[in-house]
Amino acid sequence: MSDLTPFPISARWPAKYPERIQLYSFPTPNGVKVSIALEELDLPYEAHAINIGKNESWTPEFLSLNPNGKIPAILDPNGPGGKPLALFESGAILLYLAEKTGRLIPADRARYYETIQWVFFQMASVGPMFGQLGFFHKFAGREIADKRPLERYRDESRRLLGVLDQRLEGRKWIMDDDYTIADISLLGWVRNLIGFYEARDLVGFDSFKNVAAWLERGLARPAVQAGLNIPARP
Ligand SMILES: N[C@@H](CCC(=O)N[C@@H](CS)C(=O)NCC(=O)O)C(=O)O
């Protein structure tokens, strides 16, 4: 029986199944990367909803696991060496789950690093830029009279979509026929850009034909459909 009591997060969000991977998350583009990966991998896990709308990621219990105060985070009772492993940052979690199972990342070393390169492209560019665009287009930033921030993030988001579109030319997935953590890292963000952020026309999404077709293929996957709603919003 796994003992998670040394982890303060388990006091506020108790594990019903302490032998399973504990996921602390919310269904946002960063959060769903991990639930989609867990669904794809068919790993036993238990999801806890951290309501970021109520600032639950800033509670002492959550901060004890992620001092950066952001979802997603995991606690794997059976980490390396059979010891519990706590992890935050969605890119690090995706890589950990892929390594743990030997799936969702190619074994060939060159292709392995190429996959990580595209995960970093999402983490360092797509996520931050699309997120800022959402703020200035849809949320509080839209009231700001100076439109330069909006234009800057719109142009950068368009440019990034162009990079992705070029990569997907003649490819089913980012790594050709291999569906990987690179696809998983990006699917939720692109969906969010044209869905929740309502930026489809703003970025001229329909001109990125390869991205649009890839998104459709990704969203058709049952694990993606399931993962997009895990954990359920309270
Ligand atoms: N680089 C981090 C970003 C995580 C992140 O920004 N999470 C957002 C939700 S998508 C969050 O927790 N926001 C809550 C807050 O800042 O209060 C990752 O990929 O894990």
Side-chain angles (χ1 to χ4, degrees), residues 143-155:
E143 313 289 351
I144 296 169
D146 185 344
K147 294 300 165 206
R148 279 175 295 182
L150 172 69
E151 287 162 10
R152 177 181 169 85
Y153 294 119
R154 177 203 62 197
D155 292 352

Side-chain angles (χ1 to χ4, degrees), residues 28-31 33 52 55 57-58 66 68-72 88-91 93 122-123 189:
T28 69
N30 287 319
K33 290 177 209 171
I52 57 173
N55 288 329
S57 63
W58 300 101
N66 181 2
N68 195 33
K70 309 265 178 197
I71 62 92
F88 63 89
E89 279 296 329
S90 57
I93 300 171
Q122 184 283 307
M123 297 295 302
W189 272 107

Side-chain angles (χ1 to χ4, degrees), residues 10-24:
S10 71
R12 187 174 179 130
W13 290 281
K16 214 163 143 191
Y17 305 100
E19 68 288 355
R20 299 184 186 174
I21 293 175
Q22 304 293 304
L23 168 66
Y24 306 96

Side-chain angles (χ1 to χ4, degrees), residues 1-226:
M1 184 65 137
S2 308
D3 179 18
L4 300 182
T5 51
F7 296 89
I9 197 163
S10 71
R12 187 174 179 130
W13 290 281
K16 214 163 143 191
Y17 305 100
E19 68 288 355
R20 299 184 186 174
I21 293 175
Q22 304 293 304
L23 168 66
Y24 306 96
S25 190
F26 209 60
T28 69
N30 287 319
V32 300
K33 290 177 209 171
V34 181
S35 40
I36 290 172
L38 287 163
E39 289 290 320
E40 294 281 7
L41 294 167
D42 219 8
L43 283 169
Y45 72 102
E46 181 175 357
H48 304 273
I50 309 301
N51 192 339
I52 57 173
K54 292 191 172 163
N55 288 329
E56 286 182 353
S57 63
W58 300 101
T59 56
E61 295 89 348
F62 188 85
L63 289 169
S64 71
L65 200 148
N66 181 2
N68 195 33
K70 309 265 178 197
I71 62 92
I74 63 164
L75 182 51
D76 183 355
N78 188 22
K83 297 198 183 102
L85 177 77
L87 211 55
F88 63 89
E89 279 296 329
S90 57
I93 300 171
L94 285 179
L95 193 52
Y96 171 67
L97 294 175
E99 293 260 333
K100 183 180 170 83
T101 55
R103 291 172 54 201
L104 296 176
I105 195 158
D108 172 84
R109 291 320 270 173
R111 287 176 55 73
Y112 172 93
Y113 286 112
E114 201 179 336
T115 306
I116 293 177
Q117 158 192 280
W118 285 100
V119 173
F120 274 58
F121 166 78
Q122 184 283 307
M123 297 295 302
S125 299
V126 170
M129 294 303 131
F130 286 16
Q132 295 298 335
L133 183 60
F135 175 80
F136 286 102
H137 176 57
K138 168 118 188 245
F139 304 110
R142 76 177 189 280
E143 313 289 351
I144 296 169
D146 185 344
K147 294 300 165 206
R148 279 175 295 182
L150 172 69
E151 287 162 10
R152 177 181 169 85
Y153 294 119
R154 177 203 62 197
D155 292 352
E156 186 60 1
S157 298
R158 260 190 207 148
R159 192 188 67 76
L160 292 167
L161 282 169
V163 173
L164 187 56
D165 203 66
Q166 194 181 20
R167 172 66 186 188
L168 287 166
E169 177 69 43
R171 288 186 169 91
K172 184 175 177 192
W173 305 111
I174 291 168
M175 293 302 296
D176 311 288
D177 286 340
D178 292 329
Y179 170 79
T180 67
I181 54 173
D183 300 288
I184 294 176
S185 71
L186 282 154
L187 280 167
W189 272 107
V190 176
R191 172 180 175 266
N192 205 60
L193 180 73
I194 60 172
F196 190 47
Y197 290 172
E198 300 175 5
R200 183 178 205 116
D201 293 340
L202 183 71
V203 297
F205 183 76
D206 294 325
S207 64
F208 300 105
K209 303 275 181 236
N210 299 322
V211 176
W214 161 86
L215 179 63
E216 203 178 311
R217 275 193 294 280
L219 293 179
R221 296 179 72 91
V224 173
Q225 280 306 314

